[in-house]
Each structure stands twice: as C-alpha cells, then as structure tokens.
Amino acid sequence: MSPEPLLAVEDLVVEFPAPDGGGAVRVVDEISLTLAPGEALGVVGESGSGKSMTAFALMGLLPAQSRTAGSIRYRGEELLADDGARIAAIRGREVAMVYQDPMTSLNPVLSVGHQLTQVIRHHRGLGKAAARERAVELLRAVGIPGAAARLRDHPHQFSGGQRQRIVIALALSCDPKVLVADEPTTALDVTVQAEILALVARLREQSRMATVWITHDLGVVGGFADRVAVMYSGRVVEQATVAELFRAPSHPYTIGLLNSLPRAGDRTRLTPIPGSPPDPAQRGDGCAFAPRCAWAVDACRVHRPQLEPVGGGHEVACHRWREVRGGIEHEAVTHHG
Amino acid sequence: MTTFLVKRGLQAIPLLIGISLLLFAMLQMTPGGPLASSEGTGAQNAARVEQIREHYGLDDPLPVQYFNWAGGVATGDWGTSFNTGRPVLTMIWERLPNTLLLTGAAFLLAIAIAVPIGVLAARKQYSWFDYVSSGLSFVGVAMPSFWLALMLLFVFSYSLGWLPSGGLEDLRADHEGFSAVIDRVRHMILPVIVLAAVSTAQLARYVRGAMLDVLQQDYVRTARGSGLRERTVIVGHALRNAAIPVVTVAVLTIPELFLGSVVMETIFAIPGIGRLFVESANLRDYPVLLGILMIGAALVVVANLVADIVYSLLDPRIRYAS
C-alpha cells in the first residue's frame, strides 16, 4: 500500500429526501474507496446500486437537494468541507469526468471548439490561438478525423461515438490526475465501445492518470482495471484486485454477476440473479442482498455484514463468505422460522 | 435563408388579405356607423348626410367598398378619415413615432428586468426570492393595466407630484436640448412602466421555466464538471439555451405591447396610435380603424418572422431548408 493515496473516500453517504417527505433515502451507504496514482479502479454494480451517485459525489455534481456525509480526500485535502468550494476549485483541472450519455453531455448550441477552448482557457490561461491549437491536438488524440476543420461544428454534426470522444477530450483537456468515467460506453455500439475503451486505456498509459471506471459490465472491468469494487444497493460488497476477484469471488452477488457473464464458446445457459435489487427507501437492517441470496441465513436478514479482509487485499461483506468460497450451497430447509 | 425569407414574405400576403377581409366584415357588422350621429336629426340634415354617403361611397355594395379600400391599401392610398378628411396614412405616420418610442422602451425595460429575475429565480428555486418574484409575477399578469396606471398616477403624480400626469411634453415651458430630453423621459416613466408591467411578469415566468428546464440538462452538469465559473455556466451555457424558447415569447410581446398602448395612451393622454384608435372607434371612422388594425396584423406577422430568424441564429440545429 502506498503511504498517501491520491484519492481516499471514507464512509461516504449520499442521501436524498424521501419523496413522501419523511426521512431520507440513502443511495450511497458508507462506502470507502482508495485510488493510488495511475491506478485503475473498476466500480461494478447494477442500475441503482449507487455507483453513478458515488461518481457525482466525487465531482461535487450531486443534485442540490442531496446531502452528503463522510469524507473525500484528494491528496490529503478534505473535499467535502466548505460546501463544495474545494471540489469546484479542482474539478476539470485535477479531477475530470466522462459522462454516461454522450448525446446529451455536450451543449447543443455551442460549437465543439468553443466548448473545448473555453475550458482550456479557463484552466490554463492560454490565449485564443494557443487554446485552439490545444483543442485540435486533443481532438486528434481522441481520433476525430480532420480535427482542425471540425472545431466549428456543433455536437449534432458528430456521431454518438465521436461525441463521446469529444467528451473525453474535454475531460482530458487539462491533464487531470483522476478521471472518473461513468459508464461512458453504455450508450454506444459494441464496436465503438471497444474503441473507446482502447482509447482511454492508451491515454491512461501515456499520462499515468488514475481512473475510476464505473460500469455494470464485469467483462469491461476485467480487461481494464487493476482493482474492482462491487457495489450493491449503495454499499461496496466486495473489493479485490481483478485477478483475485475472478479467481476467488467471495460474495454471492459477485458470483451471480460472473455467472450472468456470457463467454465465447461456452454454450451453457447463463444464470441470472433471481429477483431485483431493493428499493433504497425500503432497505431493512440485514444484508440488502439476502432476499435474493441462495446462501442467506437468519443472521443475514438481521445483521448487516461489514467489509472484512479475507487475505491478499481482498475484502468481502458477507457473513458466509467462507462457505460461499467453498461453494457450499445452503439448503433452504435448515433455517427458517 | 434568403429563399426562406422570400417564401415567408409571400406566404404573408394571403394571410394579410384574409385578415383584411375579416376586419372589414367585422367593422361593418358593428352597430351604428360613421353617420349614425347625424342621421335623423332633421330634414335639412338628411340631404347633407346623403351627400356625404355619396362622397365616401358608403352606399356602394360592401364587396365594392372592400375592393376599393383594399386596392387603395395595396397602392399606398389608405383612404381618408371620415372625421378629419385627412389621409389615413398621414394621420398614422404622425402618431406612430410616439407609440413606437413608448412600446420600444417598454419592450427593452421588460427584457432588462424579466431576464435577470427569471434566471435568479430558477437558480435559487424555492428560495424567498423565487417565491416573491413568482408572487409578483402573478400579480403583474392578473392586474388590469388601467388600474395600475390610475394607482401610479394617484401616487406619483397626484399625491407626490413627482411626475407629470399625461402627455409627452411639458406644454407650460419651452424645454430645449438636454432639458427637453429630461422632460420627455419624465413624461415617459409612468406610461412605460404600465405598458411593461404585464410583459415583464409574463416574460419573467417564462425565463424562469426555461432556465429550470435547462439547468437540469446534462450539458450544464458537464460545464460545471469542467470547472468553469458558475457565472459562465449560467450565462454562457444555460441561458444561451434557455434563450431559444424565450425569444419567441419575447418577440410576440411586441404586438401585445402595441395593443396595450390603446389603454395606456388613453389614460396618459398620449398622442399615439392607441389613442387615435380609441378616438376613431368612437366615431366609427372606418378607414382609420382599418389602417391601424392592418398595421397591428402586419406587426404580428413580422414578429413571427423575426422570431423564426432569431431562432435559427440561436440554435445551430435549426436550418431553414429553401
């Protein structure tokens, strides 16, 4: 472990006021993550698991009515203090983000060149011509053909894949130390997905920036990340290096995710996870996954498991991870009452 | 773009012809007539009335009257006033600058107040500022402008004596140069406020709505996430987009203001188109009424065209195919 992580999230909580007015709904529930310089962290989970909200919390871009608690430290400096002013000061420059939907992430009435140079000039204090040059260089780096001629074009004149490349160029415009990517390929065709992944991997190689890659696709993470955090219902349920996670998945949910991953040449049926994730407003005291879990016992429904180290930097939040690892299926007969 | 403009201009012609037909027919249907007050006042008068009828062609069949009038409008002869016997166009030309000055000032004032209020209210949704400005907007939309005019007159003119109560210039003194400008401005303050009040309220609500819409868009989040200053995000990104729907409403308030001048000019005794309209309506001076109404109609058509053009300037996704 490096002495000082670049980014350290500790017990981060994000809550929204409940729609009925009473109490609050926790969409991110005490999660902790660390990111070393140059490291790629994959955050995996299904829709509603809180992964996007975690990303927005890192960027200070949560909706106004949300409340956050816990700590986010960037280079040892607390970002959640002083009402978001610290985050506002570093975002775009130190921490940048690539968003989920390239079709709506760029301003439709401003030219691509304007959007790029505006950010470059703001952060770097460059002149018009120099900023333009930098913008062309960026567009070229992300693979937009005829970059110089296209600065004047507006977003609607580009394809979805190209727009995502432009959003990536925008994020990279000031050489951030951390790139947060929130499912940047979900809205794109599979072939374009692969290109974007390869592009970010290459850029990461060149600049040694740390990356948080949020996705619902374990397959994407496998090829890209150093470490993976699996999120379920607002919490991190398992965290390990990619190799370790694929070798010895220890949370029933992770195993479920792996089992629903199609593999080339494998003709066996995919096994989906039964049921659907709980409404964050209706979560009980126990493990949020228990209602869908084949290993669940009474204790799971009463006590929420905490992340515990299981060796090799691997952490799991499951009362029964030993049995799960051993592959012992729980027989439904024994515990019920 | 030029093709588009020419096309739209040509399309306006049948529209205006239709409007002119409607206006002409509606005026004919109103009870009374230009000679109503002279009719039945005695035998010696009857011959005179008949003479006037003859002179202005009021005995001709209606279609003939319409074509005579419409043909005149097309060739620049808008007829003569029954009341003053002067050409209608001259009478309108004399009064138009006053009305344009007041409606123009009211339009600029409405935008200058409504846009910042709407933006700020959207930025701080559900804040006290939002509630107060929304409340005032409702009041502004609901309040009859003649009532507002009378209240303002009562307070600032009658009670406090700060501002003149009517007209466009001080008739008791000869102002020259700069002092004439000051005098004119002092006379314009109350009428312009009255005229702008409703439009300001409407526009502010519209700007607020458009901004609320835009502030939730992903690209605003992107701009914020790029670390741009909040001011740049609001003005350079959000307002730039919110302006697109607002422009339509804003441009269409111009004919509304023009119509509003009817009430305002009557109360403040301003010699403009609005008062000319009221005077002419009372006298059933058809040629003048028709002239003013046609200008109003043309203004609506032109305002729509202007809105379309501004639209395409603001939104690069809109390009008018020829």
Side-chain angles (χ1 to χ4, degrees), chain A residues 142-315:
Chain A
V142 297
I144 301 281
R150 301 220 62 185
L151 282 184
R152 262 207 248 155
D153 287 348
H154 290 83
H156 70 279
Q157 287 158 299
F158 293 87
S159 70
Q162 284 179 324
R163 286 191 217 185
Q164 195 58 294
R165 286 164 190 271
I166 293 165
V167 174
I168 292 172
L170 192 66
L172 297 180
S173 60
C174 298
D175 296 319
K177 304 288 176 296
V178 179
L179 181 73
V180 181
D182 181 19
E183 304 209 49
T185 59
T186 12
L188 304 173
D189 293 341
V190 185
T191 46
V192 183
Q193 262 186 43
E195 286 170 24
I196 297 279
L197 269 170
L199 168 70
V200 176
R202 200 182 70 234
L203 294 167
R204 198 165 76 78
E205 207 60 46
Q206 287 165 4
S207 63
R208 296 291 300 149
M209 81 187 157
T211 315
V212 180
W213 193 283
I214 291 166
T215 176
H216 60 266
D217 188 348
L218 258 180
V220 166
V221 161
F224 184 83
D226 303 320
R227 231 154 24 87
V228 190
V230 180
M231 282 188 75
Y232 186 78
S233 192
R235 295 175 75 93
V236 173
V237 293
E238 183 161 13
Q239 196 168 186
T241 61
V242 170
E244 172 72 9
L245 191 87
F246 279 84
R247 189 187 63 77
S250 307
H251 193 282
Y253 178 64
T254 313
I255 293 171
L257 281 181
L258 285 169
N259 284 341
S260 41
L261 209 62
R263 259 172 293 251
D266 187 351
R267 302 193 62 85
T268 54
R269 276 186 89 82
L270 294 176
T271 328
I273 304 171
S276 50
D279 179 349
Q282 312 288 328
R283 261 190 316 248
D285 295 329
C287 171
F289 189 62
R292 304 171 74 184
C293 180
W295 280 277
V297 294
D298 286 349
C300 299
R301 286 178 259 273
V302 185
H303 301 292
R304 182 170 304 170
Q306 300 295 322
L307 272 181
E308 53 180 305
V310 299
H314 192 154
E315 292 179 305

Side-chain angles (χ1 to χ4, degrees), chain A residues 56 59 61 91-92 99 104-110 118-119 122-123 154 156 170, chain B residues 218-219 221-222 224-229 232 236-237 240-241 244 314-317:
Chain A
F56 288 137
M59 295 294 294
L61 291 175
R91 73 184 161 207
Y99 305 86
T104 57
S105 294
L106 290 167
N107 196 324
V109 305
L110 302 176
Q118 187 183 36
V119 172
H122 174 67
H123 287 303
H154 290 83
H156 70 279
L170 192 66
Chain B
D218 287 352
Y219 53 79
R221 194 180 56 202
T222 307
R224 211 168 261 148
S226 301
L228 295 172
R229 254 179 243 107
T232 315
H237 282 262
R240 183 71 177 65
N241 280 272
I244 298 169
L314 285 177
D315 193 339
R317 287 165 299 183

Side-chain angles (χ1 to χ4, degrees), chain B residues 71-107:
Chain B
V73 169
T75 54
D77 173 14
W78 291 37
T80 33
S81 161
F82 293 161
N83 181 35
T84 63
R86 300 172 59 215
V88 169
L89 265 187
T90 315
M91 290 174 71
I92 291 178
W93 266 143
E94 281 170 8
R95 306 278 196 118
L96 199 57
N98 288 340
T99 302
L100 287 184
L101 181 67
L102 289 168
T103 47
F107 181 66

Side-chain angles (χ1 to χ4, degrees), chain B residues 229-253:
Chain B
R229 254 179 243 107
E230 187 63 14
R231 224 187 106 81
T232 315
V233 174
I234 296 297
V235 178
H237 282 262
L239 185 58
R240 183 71 177 65
N241 280 272
I244 298 169
V246 168
V247 158
T248 324
V249 178
V251 172
L252 288 177
T253 56

Side-chain angles (χ1 to χ4, degrees), chain B residues 271-317:
Chain B
I273 296 282
R275 217 171 96 205
L276 180 64
F277 184 82
V278 174
E279 289 162 7
S280 307
N282 286 336
L283 294 166
R284 303 290 193 277
D285 196 343
Y286 293 157
V288 179
L289 286 177
L290 282 171
I292 294 173
L293 287 171
M294 281 312 288
I295 287 184
L299 206 57
V300 174
V301 172
V302 171
N304 269 300
L305 189 58
V306 169
D308 281 344
I309 295 168
V310 178
Y311 233 76
S312 77
L313 293 179
L314 285 177
D315 193 339
R317 287 165 299 183

Side-chain angles (χ1 to χ4, degrees), chain A residues 14-37:
Chain A
V14 177
E15 289 180 335
F16 283 86
D20 53 22
V25 179
R26 273 193 181 194
V27 292
V28 175
D29 191 7
E30 295 178 359
I31 73 159
S32 300
L33 298 166
T34 59
L35 193 65

